[in-house]
Amino acid sequence: GDIISEEQVRRRMKIIAPYTKWVRSFSCTEGNEFIPKIAREMGIKTLVGAWLGDDSEVNEKEIAGLIQLANDGFVDIAAVGNEVMYRKDLSEDELLVFIAKVKKEIPSHIPVGYVDAYYEFTIKPRITAACDVILSNCYPFWEGCPSDYSLNHMKQMYHQALDAAQGKKVIITETGWPSLGESLKESHPSRENALKYFIN
């Protein structure tokens, strides 16, 4: 619900600009629409997401915002939703309608995808088929994986998404390891584990 100012976005983008070629945004409202515009000014490519949930009014605004940003030339990859299937905020059919709408209303050279946990692309083949690019979240930590095996496990997650993609590009949109917090089965947060995972 916080509104992000253009100045806040500009200040943060200046900090990361020397270190990255791409930036991902999760929403096209509440000031998040400044992210791809300022990224473009700084020569950074953009993966721009519409945040979809269980509020149809917000969903419509997000989709309209994504379409507008894409048509104005600020989007390199369009992401229609993030973990909507995982959270069960929408039905598969509802998500497919949004994906189809975005594909129809933005320039055809902009790839359209959907972001979710890697296994969703195996169990939801209609969504996988509707995407131009597969945007896969891979978190060995959340599957209770010991940190020593985390890199291999992340590779398995990626390859499962790759198999489901049937030749389409797969991008790992999220991964990481926590430095603090509670353990999950054999996954233990620590500064050392987080650093090792990042370096690997």
Side-chain angles (χ1 to χ4, degrees):
D2 292 343
I3 304 299
I4 303 163
S5 72
E6 188 172 352
E7 195 273 327
Q8 282 176 297
V9 174
R10 195 172 295 283
R11 192 167 68 234
R12 284 159 175 74
M13 291 292 284
K14 273 184 187 160
I15 294 167
I16 66 165
Y19 307 103
T20 189
K21 296 184 177 82
W22 282 81
V23 68
R24 175 184 174 198
S25 58
F26 286 73
S27 165
C28 295
T29 63
E30 298 179 335
N32 290 289
E33 65 274 15
F34 294 125
I35 298 168
K37 293 176 181 176
I38 292 165
R40 186 61 92 239
E41 273 176 39
M42 297 182 177
I44 296 170
K45 293 193 170 205
T46 62
L47 192 162
V48 181
W51 183 266
L52 302 177
D54 54 12
D55 183 325
S56 58
E57 203 177 307
V58 171
N59 291 346
E60 291 299 335
K61 283 182 189 164
E62 287 282 345
I63 292 295
L66 178 57
I67 290 167
Q68 183 72 57
L69 286 164
N71 287 329
D72 290 347
F74 298 112
V75 178
D76 290 295
I77 298 175
V80 182
N82 180 68
E83 296 190 342
V84 177
M85 293 294 100
Y86 175 78
R87 292 194 310 274
K88 298 178 173 48
D89 283 347
L90 294 175
S91 71
E92 202 171 330
D93 287 337
E94 287 170 318
L95 178 60
L96 286 166
V97 167
F98 283 126
I99 293 171
K101 181 179 171 69
V102 171
K103 285 180 91 164
K104 186 178 157 208
E105 296 190 27
I106 70 171
S108 60
H109 70 273
I110 301 172
V112 176
Y114 162 67
V115 182
D116 214 326
Y118 69 100
Y119 54 80
E120 292 287 354
F121 297 100
T122 303
I123 60 176
K124 303 275 193 316
R126 289 193 302 147
I127 291 171
T128 307
C131 293
D132 302 319
V133 59
I134 305 305
L135 305 171
S136 175
N137 292 347
C138 301
Y139 286 110
F141 179 86
W142 291 117
E143 296 193 353
C145 179
S147 62
D148 287 350
Y149 303 107
S150 59
L151 179 63
N152 281 337
H153 190 44
M154 195 264 277
K155 286 178 181 174
Q156 286 171 339
M157 293 170 157
Y158 172 72
H159 283 285
Q160 184 175 328
L162 210 56
D163 289 345
Q166 297 185 340
K168 294 177 184 178
K169 186 177 179 71
V170 175
I171 298 172
I172 298 174
T173 33
E174 295 178 28
T175 192
W177 196 274
S179 57
L180 291 169
E182 292 178 18
S183 295
L184 178 69
K185 296 179 190 164
E186 298 304 310
S187 298
H188 305 296
S190 74
R191 182 172 158 75
E192 186 184 352
N193 288 347
L195 284 170
K196 274 185 187 168
Y197 185 80
F198 180 76
I199 290 164
N200 284 340

